[in-house]
Amino acid sequence: SSQFVQEQAPGVYLKSLRNMWLGVTAFNPIISALSLCVFSVADIAHKKETLLADMGGKVGDWMGAVGGVSIGHILQVWVCLDAFVVLSGAVLTAYVGVNGLMKRLAMDRILPQVLLQENWRGTNHIQLFSFFVVASSLVVFLNGETSVLSGVYGLSFLGLMLFLAVGLMMLKFKRPDIPREVHCPWWAVILGLVMVFLGIVGNVLAQIDALAYFVIYFSTVLGLAFVMLNTTTLLRLLLYVCESTFPNTEFLWLKESIKKNKAHPNIFFAKYPDLCLLNKAILYVRENEQTADLKVVHCLDPTATPEQSREISSRFQEGVALLDSMYPKLRVSLVLIEDDQQTGSDAGAFFNEDMIKLVSETLKTPMNMMFIACPSSCKLDAYGGVRIITH
């Protein structure tokens, strides 16, 4: 369900989480208790890779046979077929999920831009083949050892849950004013964090070999992300080394690469000419983005009088000019959207999805390279991927 959350109607994903929780709460303890009724603990440990099929066979043998065929054999085949279908769906879902994830990370310049290339069918084939190579390499390195593979998957999933809990705590602490449809109390977040951490510790103690492979793959992906996030710095370092080693060479290709890497503009939507807020946005861009161009966009209130519009435009122009002079390595410019350019509905709508699309198309900047302060609406998905960077 999480792989298609953007295409779902409001409230569907929450219902999916509820149904999953109810299913896990019911089936997991029932299956565990049933396994203890059918096998001893020693047999369970010995048959852990085919436990459900063996349980079906054992229970079916107690029930007898139908038409000369053991019910146990029928149940074993049924469980195996069901497992095959479920795992096939899981693999397909993984490809769907990783395709969207890698595309978004590449758009945010955390992964290489080559992953955004599409074939004649509009498919990001490089992403899919890359994921296939990574997943297949893990199977090859482990010689198909399912127990270690499951350990690596378990650590990956629990690590994701740990980061989700930490991210939720950071949002509650750093962004308490962001409108939310669902509110989770602190005690529930901390309890979830502790339980997930205990699960990670248990998996590490049970599968110490899986930890080594998990660290290797995780470090590789983390290293790639580090290189992409610091491309400009690394290129400058390489240019310095090359110029120091070969002082008579221009290295124009390196200089062009640095210039091209910083040519992508970022956009910050400002509602008020607040110098403190604008300065926070600039500091964020300098610390986290590889750009030398920041455009401050303000949508003039169509209900304001001409005098009010001129006053706020003047304040924006003065503030942006001041900040542009304070940061010589970052070009800060102002873009004002007049009321006749408004594409929204209500007269008082300063900021809406249509206006974001208009700015994105006009300034040729993807929506994920646009930033806003804390919005007033809970429908954050309506902003098309615009990032929230300040209080």
Side-chain angles (χ1 to χ4, degrees):
S1 181
S2 63
Q3 313 302 340
F4 307 93
V5 64
Q6 290 87 356
E7 287 78 21
Q8 294 174 2
V12 172
Y13 183 60
L14 295 179
K15 294 179 181 178
S16 300
L17 292 178
R18 179 201 62 192
N19 296 340
M20 180 196 68
W21 173 251
L22 293 175
V24 169
T25 304
F27 283 108
N28 282 14
I30 291 175
I31 293 175
S32 299
L34 183 60
S35 65
L36 292 173
C37 296
V38 176
F39 295 113
S40 65
V41 176
D43 289 337
I44 292 175
H46 179 68
K47 303 174 181 292
K48 59 183 179 181
E49 296 185 359
T50 58
L51 181 60
L52 287 178
D54 290 335
M55 285 172 56
K58 190 67 174 290
V59 173
D61 290 340
W62 294 344
M63 298 170 63
V66 176
V69 180
S70 172
I71 296 180
H73 179 71
I74 296 176
L75 290 179
Q76 278 186 319
V77 173
W78 180 271
V79 170
C80 292
L81 289 176
D82 179 74
F84 175 79
V85 172
V86 170
L87 292 176
S88 298
V91 171
L92 293 176
T93 303
Y95 275 94
V96 173
V98 79
N99 189 49
L101 174 63
M102 294 176 69
K103 184 175 182 178
R104 180 57 194 245
L105 291 176
M107 291 174 62
D108 289 342
R109 303 172 72 183
I110 299 175
L111 291 180
Q113 300 293 294
V114 68
L115 295 174
L116 295 177
Q117 292 185 5
E118 297 180 349
N119 59 15
W120 60 275
R121 299 177 59 186
T123 303
N124 303 108
H125 56 286
I126 298 180
Q127 297 180 16
L128 301 179
F129 282 117
S130 300
F131 179 67
F132 172 78
V133 170
V134 172
S136 301
S137 65
L138 184 60
V139 177
V140 172
F141 291 154
L142 295 177
N143 294 320
E145 184 63 38
T146 56
S147 60
V148 183
L149 280 170
S150 63
V152 174
Y153 172 80
L155 289 175
S156 302
F157 181 77
L158 290 174
L160 173 63
M161 296 296 104
L162 183 68
F163 281 124
L164 286 175
V166 173
L168 181 56
M169 295 174 68
M170 293 177 64
L171 281 174
K172 293 176 73 67
F173 179 73
K174 297 288 290 184
R175 300 287 187 269
D177 298 329
I178 293 181
R180 296 171 171 84
E181 295 182 357
V182 178
H183 293 269
C184 188
W186 271 102
W187 67 265
V189 180
I190 295 174
L191 177 62
L193 179 68
V194 172
M195 297 299 289
V196 170
F197 179 76
L198 293 177
I200 292 176
V201 173
N203 276 265
V204 170
L205 295 177
Q207 292 278 358
I208 192 65
D209 294 338
L211 178 63
Y213 288 97
F214 171 79
V215 171
I216 292 173
Y217 279 80
F218 182 74
S219 301
T220 302
V221 176
L222 198 63
L224 179 61
F226 174 82
V227 171
M228 292 302 303
L229 291 173
N230 297 275
T231 301
T232 302
T233 302
L234 295 175
L235 287 176
R236 285 177 175 174
L237 179 60
L238 179 60
L239 179 62
Y240 172 78
V241 173
C242 292
E243 289 181 339
S244 301
T245 307
F246 307 98
N248 298 324
T249 308
E250 286 292 332
F251 296 103
L252 295 177
W253 63 276
L254 266 178
K255 295 179 181 179
E256 287 297 324
S257 298
I258 295 174
K259 184 178 179 180
K260 182 180 179 181
N261 196 59
K262 299 182 65 178
H264 305 282
N266 290 122
I267 292 175
F268 178 70
F269 290 98
K271 191 174 182 179
Y272 304 107
D274 187 344
L275 284 179
C276 180
L277 182 63
L278 295 176
N279 188 58
K280 282 184 177 181
I282 292 175
L283 292 176
Y284 172 87
V285 171
R286 283 171 52 88
E287 294 176 1
N288 300 279
E289 301 296 327
Q290 302 181 71
T291 184
D293 187 5
L294 175 64
K295 300 182 186 298
V296 178
V297 176
H298 172 70
C299 183
L300 293 171
D301 184 4
T303 63
T305 63
E307 291 76 13
Q308 292 174 331
S309 297
R310 284 194 295 269
E311 179 184 358
I312 196 168
S313 299
S314 176
R315 291 175 59 189
F316 263 110
Q317 291 171 355
E318 294 175 357
V320 170
L322 174 62
L323 294 171
D324 183 52
S325 63
M326 292 174 57
Y327 298 95
K329 294 184 179 181
L330 180 66
R331 182 171 62 254
V332 185
S333 57
L334 176 65
V335 178
L336 296 175
I337 308 296
E338 299 287 350
D339 57 349
D340 58 350
Q341 293 176 285
Q342 287 285 336
T343 58
S345 53
D346 299 332
F350 291 175
F351 186 70
N352 52 57
E353 182 180 5
D354 293 331
M355 189 271 287
I356 295 174
K357 292 180 180 179
L358 171 66
V359 174
S360 177
E361 295 171 359
T362 304
L363 301 181
K364 295 180 174 58
T365 303
M367 293 185 182
N368 59 297
M369 289 290 107
M370 299 179 177
F371 314 127
I372 59 173
C374 182
S376 57
S377 171
C378 290
K379 304 296 183 181
L380 301 181
D381 56 333
Y383 296 138
V386 177
R387 285 188 272 170
I388 301 173
I389 61 171
T390 63
H391 293 82

